[in-house]
Amino acid sequence: MMRGKTDNSKRRHLILSLITIVLVIGFLCYWKSSFSSGDYTARSALDYGTRTLRSFRWNVDENDELGEKQDDSSLYSLQEDNTLVPKSFPVCDDQHSELIPCLDRHLRYQMRLKLDQSLMEHYERHCPLPERRYNCLIPPPPGYKVPIKWPRSRDEVWQANIPHTHLAHEKSDQNWMIVKGDKIEFPGGGTHFHNGADGYIKALANMLNFTDNNLNNEGNLRTVLDVGCGVASFGGYLLSSDVMTMSLAPNDVHQNQIQFALERGIPAYLGVLGTKRLPYPSRSFDIAHCSRCRIDWLQRDGLLLLELDRLLRPGGYFAYSSPVAYAQDEENLRTWRDMSGLLERMCWKIAAKRGQTVIWVKPLTNDCYLEREPGVQPPLCPSKDDPDAAWEVPMQACITPYSTQVQRTGGSGLAPWPARLTEIPPRLSDFGYSNELFVKDMDIWQNRVGEYWNMFGSKIMKNSIRNVMDMKSNLGSFAASLKDKDVWVMNVVPNEGPNTLKIIYDRGLIGSVHDWCEAYSTYPRTYDLLHAWNIFSDMERKGCGAEDLLIEMDRILRPTGFVIVRDNEHVVKFIKKYLNALQWESIAESESESEFGETEVVFVMQKKMWISNNQLLYSA
């Protein structure tokens, strides 16, 4: 009996020891995997600049260094011109299905960047070095579906496409969004307008005595900047009034706001009022809007308000809905006095005030600025400051005075919408462009867009395209030619070259400045159509990786979305080599004559629908 008890005791001790060892090993494995999820060294398909892709060149000879080290028939195919091309790109881990490379918080932690959170620097762009990029294809989330078509998408999206419901619970009393079955619905509510954006918009128009309570003010109000936009219902409901809103929010604790906006088919951009100018030229917007956006407008000598001042047109409005406008407690009263004093020194006047909302209006000319007492703060910006410089430019705590032209005309001189789209933009002369050149540019792109749609053929159906990006917009005529189609266009002007974005805004369109050597500030799968006119030739001249650009285009393109490349034959031949690796397919190709009489090739492609194990669901 004693031996039995001893054996049983030993057996129990042995079992407990084994269990303990298993638990320890399990914990170590869990700790290692959890820790490595933020590790940006080498991890199979997530390897930064995956070894097969780390060095890109337009042509790689089979005998050069890369060819000698990487010539693996299982990874590469050898082209007729002795170029090695990967047979497939690696696929990123599912946890990176929403990767935004230049706004990746894990990257910030890994690089140990010293950022001042009080200045919102941690929400600004910080891009990985080329050797630390994810050169892999971003997979869609499990259960991803082709997005619901506009206009239904304004009010509902597939939950599987953006599987984040925390905002629905967090903002449940404000009607931002509601989870219903396999969809997320958007009743049009907001923090300040629980009962719907439409009623709130009419109330703003009523405060300004606009005809029929329509905020477009008979076409005189066209472009809006909505700061801290939530899920962009304010901008979404303005679209029916022919008002175009740039809905802006950072990738913060409510990190999926902009993702929801773009999934809905509403124009939006990931950005923050931090230390750098927003990527828009001066005098871009007719109205700026902030509804409970939780921004301290008085910080740093009013720097953020002065950035809005730079962006607003002569006679532009700032609509501000906040307890500051009505609350009678000591703190809000003090903030109201300080804010009112600052805006008065900036020559803004109160246009209307009702309840929780106040609307200021900016002066039409420089007269008020010139009448201020010497030494009044904030000062006017120095004459050497370029108010239109908007890429990686620090904000300035100064007032941007108007040009001589604005002073002479007593305003921006813009026609009401829609005439604004086709009339000669007032700032065209800033570039030395003639009126004839502008008219010719419109005609050229009108014809080209017609050709594009013919090339799509049966591949394109009604409402299959909603979110469009023109990657090199020039004067904005590509977007203007799409006016009769139910789409909106993000007009991107490369940071190098003429800053024609101010002409684009003068036409009543929207867009941003960008450097295509870096990733764009948007979520994956947010555009239905990318138009790339000579972008690849530009990248070749700049020495940036064209393969990196293809991977970036794939990241921001929705499954079943389209790409139009208009470039030289050399570029198109290069892109064709990568179609299989990207899981894109050729739709159509044609030759065309450029405005300079040179031959251009137009190449139309479509992104296939695939799941994360690289298998096609179907090809649309």
Side-chain angles (χ1 to χ4, degrees):
M1 294 293 293
M2 289 297 293
R3 181 180 296 177
K5 289 182 179 179
T6 301
D7 290 343
N8 288 338
S9 177
K10 288 181 178 179
R11 190 176 294 109
R12 282 197 298 272
H13 282 299
L14 180 60
I15 292 172
L16 287 172
S17 298
L18 288 172
I19 291 173
T20 302
I21 291 170
V22 170
L23 289 173
V24 169
I25 292 173
F27 173 78
L28 288 173
C29 291
Y30 173 79
W31 176 84
K32 182 178 180 181
S33 64
S34 298
F35 183 79
S36 65
S37 66
D39 181 10
Y40 288 79
T41 54
R43 284 200 314 267
S44 62
L46 280 178
D47 187 6
Y48 274 105
T50 307
R51 291 184 178 87
T52 60
L53 307 174
R54 186 161 292 176
S55 176
F56 167 75
R57 276 158 265 181
W58 283 84
N59 289 292
V60 180
D61 189 90
E62 62 177 331
N63 295 318
D64 73 7
E65 180 183 356
L66 181 65
E68 290 173 357
K69 291 183 178 180
Q70 303 291 341
D71 190 5
D72 183 340
S73 60
S74 66
L75 298 175
Y76 288 90
S77 60
L78 185 63
Q79 305 293 302
E80 292 180 358
D81 58 357
N82 289 332
T83 303
L84 288 174
V85 176
K87 292 181 177 179
S88 63
F89 285 123
V91 177
C92 297
D93 190 275
D94 285 347
Q95 66 178 320
H96 295 278
S97 68
E98 293 169 0
L99 177 69
I100 312 166
C102 295
L103 297 172
D104 183 6
R105 62 192 63 189
H106 296 295
L107 174 68
R108 297 196 297 264
Y109 299 147
Q110 182 70 16
M111 295 178 67
R112 298 180 181 177
L113 298 175
K114 296 181 179 179
L115 305 173
D116 191 333
Q117 296 195 19
S118 68
L119 303 182
M120 298 297 181
E121 284 185 317
H122 57 307
Y123 292 142
E124 294 181 327
R125 289 173 57 85
H126 303 282
C127 297
L129 297 172
E131 64 270 16
R132 297 177 65 85
R133 289 176 179 166
Y134 286 102
N135 281 328
C136 48
L137 304 183
I138 304 294
Y144 182 86
K145 301 180 181 180
V146 174
I148 294 172
K149 307 303 181 187
W150 183 267
R152 277 181 54 213
S153 62
R154 188 196 71 171
D155 302 323
E156 61 180 18
V157 301
W158 297 117
Q159 185 183 165
N161 291 10
I162 309 180
H164 302 284
T165 58
H166 59 282
L167 280 176
H169 303 300
E170 185 178 339
K171 304 291 184 180
S172 59
D173 61 332
Q174 299 170 13
N175 281 330
W176 279 30
M177 47 191 275
I178 299 170
V179 178
K180 284 192 176 181
D182 58 357
K183 294 178 182 175
I184 295 175
E185 296 184 356
F186 301 88
T191 303
H192 181 65
F193 40 89
H194 307 172
N195 297 322
D198 48 355
Y200 172 70
I201 290 167
K202 289 179 181 178
L204 293 178
N206 182 264
M207 290 174 65
L208 293 169
N209 296 316
F210 289 169
T211 304
D212 298 327
N213 293 335
N214 192 330
L215 200 62
N216 75 11
N217 189 25
E218 299 179 323
N220 289 295
L221 193 153
R222 165 65 179 172
T223 52
V224 176
L225 177 66
D226 187 16
V227 182
C229 63
V231 294
S233 290
F234 180 75
Y237 278 78
L238 277 170
L239 287 166
S240 60
S241 299
D242 263 348
V243 174
M244 183 63 68
T245 305
M246 179 68 80
S247 296
L248 182 82
N251 185 30
D252 61 6
V253 291
H254 298 149
Q255 58 187 288
N256 301 103
Q257 299 172 96
I258 295 301
Q259 191 178 20
F260 279 117
L262 290 164
E263 181 73 12
R264 297 172 69 185
I266 300 171
Y269 183 84
L270 275 164
V272 65
L273 283 165
T275 65
K276 299 173 184 176
R277 287 178 174 176
L278 294 176
Y280 319 121
S282 68
R283 311 199 317 257
S284 291
F285 298 99
D286 297 308
I287 184 169
H289 174 253
C290 161
S291 173
R292 300 290 183 94
C293 57
R294 298 189 300 178
I295 292 175
D296 178 7
W297 294 107
L298 294 172
Q299 63 176 284
R300 292 174 279 166
D301 301 318
L303 184 70
L304 306 186
L305 273 174
L306 289 160
E307 173 65 358
L308 288 191
D309 183 84
R310 181 183 74 87
L311 296 174
L312 280 176
R313 293 201 173 107
Y317 299 98
F318 175 44
Y320 182 51
S321 295
S322 167
V324 170
Y326 74 95
Q328 297 299 304
D329 60 280
E330 184 177 344
E331 181 179 352
N332 278 307
L333 285 172
R334 182 174 62 252
T335 301
W336 172 255
R337 287 193 297 268
D338 292 345
M339 194 168 175
S340 297
L342 171 61
L343 289 171
E344 184 177 351
R345 296 194 300 276
M346 290 168 57
C347 293
W348 291 19
K349 297 184 181 298
I350 292 179
K353 187 173 184 289
R354 182 186 301 167
Q356 300 183 33
T357 302
V358 58
I359 303 176
W360 282 278
V361 61
K362 188 181 172 184
L364 286 168
T365 67
N366 291 325
D367 293 349
C368 174
Y369 305 144
L370 301 176
E371 293 169 0
R372 299 188 312 163
E373 294 293 330
V376 170
Q377 298 296 315
L380 295 181
C381 295
S383 57
K384 64 180 181 181
D385 177 67
D386 180 3
D388 299 320
W391 183 252
E392 300 295 313
V393 177
M395 291 184 193
Q396 304 293 328
C398 57
I399 298 171
T400 303
Y402 297 131
S403 66
T404 303
Q405 180 188 41
V406 171
Q407 181 70 13
R408 184 174 59 250
T409 58
S412 61
L414 295 173
W417 179 267
R420 185 181 298 189
L421 182 67
T422 53
E423 289 201 3
I424 305 299
R427 292 189 275 187
L428 185 71
S429 59
D430 291 0
F431 300 89
Y433 296 159
S434 67
N435 294 353
E436 290 75 19
L437 183 147
F438 178 79
V439 173
K440 181 180 178 181
D441 188 71
M442 282 196 297
D443 290 341
I444 287 172
W445 283 105
Q446 190 73 46
N447 291 331
R448 288 176 175 176
V449 167
E451 291 171 1
Y452 292 162
W453 251 250
N454 289 334
M455 292 176 72
F456 283 129
S458 61
K459 285 287 184 179
I460 190 169
M461 294 175 284
K462 183 179 180 182
N463 296 336
S464 58
I465 291 177
R466 172 62 185 170
N467 301 352
V468 178
M469 177 184 284
D470 189 8
M471 299 172 68
K472 185 180 177 182
S473 297
N474 195 28
L475 303 181
S477 294
F478 169 81
S481 299
L482 292 170
K483 179 184 178 295
D484 294 331
K485 301 187 184 300
D486 210 356
V487 303
W488 67 273
V489 181
M490 180 67 79
N491 293 277
V492 181
V493 172
N495 66 313
E496 293 185 354
N499 187 3
T500 54
L501 193 58
K502 59 184 178 182
I503 293 177
I504 289 166
Y505 273 94
D506 279 358
R507 300 183 72 175
L509 305 169
I510 62 170
S512 66
V513 178
H514 184 62
D515 180 357
W516 282 113
C517 290
E518 301 175 356
Y520 194 77
S521 292
T522 192
Y523 280 86
R525 301 173 301 279
T526 48
Y527 285 90
D528 300 299
L529 172 62
L530 304 178
H531 178 242
W533 172 51
N534 285 335
I535 280 289
F536 285 91
S537 291
D538 293 345
M539 298 293 283
E540 186 177 17
R541 286 189 289 268
K542 290 177 68 173
C544 301
E547 191 172 274
D548 290 334
L549 180 58
L550 283 171
I551 293 173
E552 170 62 6
M553 291 168 70
D554 183 83
R555 184 185 73 85
I556 65 180
L557 187 65
R558 285 173 168 173
T560 73
F562 297 93
V563 177
I564 302 173
V565 170
R566 186 183 197 96
D567 217 308
N568 61 51
E569 184 180 9
H570 162 65
V571 166
V572 172
K573 282 184 177 179
F574 164 81
I575 293 174
K576 285 180 179 179
K577 299 173 185 177
Y578 289 86
L579 290 185
N580 288 336
L582 288 163
Q583 301 191 62
W584 296 1
E585 63 179 352
S586 172
I587 298 299
E589 180 180 350
S590 70
E591 287 189 356
S592 183
E593 187 176 292
S594 75
E595 53 267 55
F596 306 109
E598 300 170 347
T599 299
E600 292 179 326
V601 178
V602 178
F603 189 38
V604 181
M605 297 153 281
Q606 185 174 26
K607 179 178 177 177
K608 298 176 183 178
M609 179 75 108
W610 52 271
I611 55 180
S612 56
N613 65 1
N614 250 5
Q615 305 223 333
L616 296 180
L617 288 178
Y618 61 86
S619 177

